[in-house]
Amino acid sequence: MAYLETGRTHIEIEPTDGATRVRVAEIRGWGDTSAATKSDISIIGNLNASGKNVKRSKAGSVENSQTLTAFYDPTDPNQALLVAGYKFFRAYVVEDTVDRVVYNDCEVLSRNKNGQEIDGLVGMDLTITVNSDITDILQT
C-alpha cells in the first residue's frame, strides 16, 4: 500500500483533550517543519589568534509548523473552525482509518483559499503552528 495515497487522506482534529475527533478536510498534500532559533552570544573584543571575532551562538527553542493543501468546503461546519487564531489540542493526518502523523497543541496561523480548481473543487492552504511535538507513526 502506498503511503498517503491520493484521495484517501484527510485531516482530523481533537478540539480538547479527550474530545471526539472531527474530520475537517480532505487533503491533497501536507508537510511539516521543525526549526530552532539561533541567538548570537559572541563577546565583543573576544578575538582569535588572527585578530578576528570569535563567533558563538546558542540554539533557542524549536518551532514546529504544519502546512496543508486541502479542498475548501464552505458548507462544512468543522472546516469553518480552521481560521487564524483557532487553537486545538491535536491534529491527525489520517489515511483511510490509519493515523499517520500526530501534531500536538496546535493553533491555526493562517488560512489561504487559493481558488485553484482541482477537478471542479476549490483548494485551500493552511499553516498551523505546533506548540508541542510531532509524532510520525510507523506502520509495520
Side-chain angles (χ1 to χ4, degrees):
M1 178 188 321
Y3 184 66
L4 294 176
E5 192 171 313
T6 303
R8 297 174 45 198
T9 308
H10 62 276
I11 188 86
E12 294 180 0
I13 62 171
E14 186 177 346
T16 57
D17 189 8
T20 301
R21 289 164 51 167
V22 293
R23 187 175 184 148
V24 293
E26 299 295 322
I27 58 177
R28 297 181 294 132
W30 63 273
D32 57 48
T33 58
S34 294
T37 58
K38 184 174 170 182
S39 299
D40 185 353
I41 58 169
S42 301
I43 300 170
I44 295 174
N46 183 15
L47 307 176
N48 63 17
S50 302
K52 302 212 182 223
N53 285 323
V54 175
K55 292 282 191 178
R56 294 175 49 201
S57 62
K58 181 178 181 180
S61 62
V62 173
E63 295 185 9
N64 300 312
S65 66
Q66 172 193 28
T67 55
L68 297 170
T69 305
F71 294 108
Y72 176 63
D73 181 359
T75 65
D76 186 338
N78 293 327
Q79 194 175 103
L81 297 172
L82 299 178
V83 295
Y86 175 65
K87 296 179 183 182
F88 51 98
F89 181 68
R90 197 170 278 149
Y92 301 83
V93 173
V94 182
E95 181 184 13
D96 292 332
T97 59
V98 179
D99 294 340
R100 296 294 188 177
V101 187
V102 180
Y103 299 91
N104 296 289
D105 190 14
C106 301
E107 180 178 1
V108 176
L109 186 61
S110 66
R111 180 184 75 177
N112 172 42
K113 296 182 293 265
N114 57 30
Q116 178 183 4
E117 182 183 351
I118 304 114
D119 295 329
L121 302 172
V122 174
M124 171 179 67
D125 298 320
L126 292 165
T127 302
I128 298 170
T129 57
V130 181
N131 297 315
S132 188
D133 58 334
I134 299 171
T135 306
D136 287 309
I137 301 172
L138 301 175
Q139 300 294 317
T140 55

